Amino acid sequence: MSSTNLADFRDQYIARASTLLKSADLAQANINTLVINGALFGALDKVINAPLIGRDTLALFDAMTSADIDVWLTDASHRSVWQRLCSDEAKTIQVALQDDVLRPKLLGSALAWEDIMASSVMQTWIQTKAAYLVPYIAAIPGCLTLTVASRTTMDKFASVQAAMTLIYASTNWLNAVAANTPAQDAIGASLTALRELAKSSVAMTALYTKLTTIMAYLFADATASLDAWNFVSSEITAGRTAMPTAFFADAGIRNALHGNTGISTAMTTTATALYQWLFTNKMTVVQRNYNATTAQQGAGIGGKFLTLAIAGTYNSTAGNFYLISTTTQYTATPNGSTSLTLTTANKQVGSQNGAMYFTDVSTGTFYMSIGYLAI
């Protein structure tokens, strides 16, 4: 049969030439037959080892679909040549990926795209063209799945602000990222990606359930965390509490919040709705009775915390009462004439690894309520 492309020619030639050479009786051959078979053997070797695609032959894919390319690449020799092309002739592939005809064929071939992503030369180029490739990859489900599952490739995308802006605006990309841990890890490792995420309400809404892989990283960064915190506050103001509930149920996020001075300021000044929601829904109250003494006494929280409120009443004959945490000392006058009030006015952010305690120079009793968000 006639060949329809170079691959068909190669396979047919190898089969025919091999048959002829195997049937030759060299012991009985004359000099002409020996020369002819020797030439045929040399030609067969060249055909077997000749690259089937290159600068002049990449057009072979023009006549193929993505499925045809996948089938073609299942041939080990074809695959080897393609892989070498991705590394040694990468500019040829780069041109093809910017061609409106060849690009969808290559992106739609799982084997072709896997080898492109496996090439360090192509990875460098992908980073320079990340924003360009984002919409095309999003349009092909198989290619999108392969891409977000590749940590190396996603690291390249995550370092490009324009690419992440497009990714966060794409439902297809967000769904794929939400289903792939490597993509989430790449975002978490890139301040560029985190800060773009915090600016996007669409992306925040889509990805906030991926707490341990993305959000803890986000709240650990001062710049990204403030944008994210404002978004969480706006959710509460709007009466939507699913997101903040998920946030404060996650130990990683709570730990990231602690020590973030920007969040501390927002907690105690601007984020009234968020703070009130915490005060109402997440506060843990500990109540204790103590005998007044000059020694430090108290109930240890034993870890980091956000103090939401403190209330106290007491009965003593002299001296002042002091309730002391790492960052704040609360003072009350004797005989219960002044009491700390359980309101959001007493809020503070601090760290308490030992006991909170009080001290008094007199005798008597003290009743205390501490409201706090434990971290």
Side-chain angles (χ1 to χ4, degrees), residues 234-245:
S234 70
E235 286 290 286
I236 291 173
T237 301
R240 296 184 292 267
T241 59
M243 181 182 293
T245 298

Side-chain angles (χ1 to χ4, degrees), residues 117-128:
M117 291 193 297
S119 165
S120 60
V121 180
M122 287 303 300
Q123 283 287 351
T124 300
W125 180 83
I126 284 173
Q127 186 172 27
T128 67

Side-chain angles (χ1 to χ4, degrees), residues 208-226:
Y208 77 86
T209 55
K210 303 301 174 183
L211 301 173
T212 56
T213 50
I214 293 181
M215 294 304 171
Y217 296 117
L218 186 149
F219 278 101
D221 175 62
T223 300
S225 64
L226 287 178

Side-chain angles (χ1 to χ4, degrees), residues 19-30 33-34 37:
T19 299
L20 291 173
L21 289 171
K22 290 175 183 178
S23 65
D25 184 356
L26 298 182
Q28 303 298 321
N30 58 32
T33 302
L34 285 174
N37 280 284

Side-chain angles (χ1 to χ4, degrees), residues 168 174 177-178 187 197 203-210 214-215:
Y168 291 143
L174 289 174
V177 169
I187 291 172
L197 170 63
M204 285 287 291
T205 301
L207 299 177
Y208 77 86
T209 55
K210 303 301 174 183
I214 293 181
M215 294 304 171

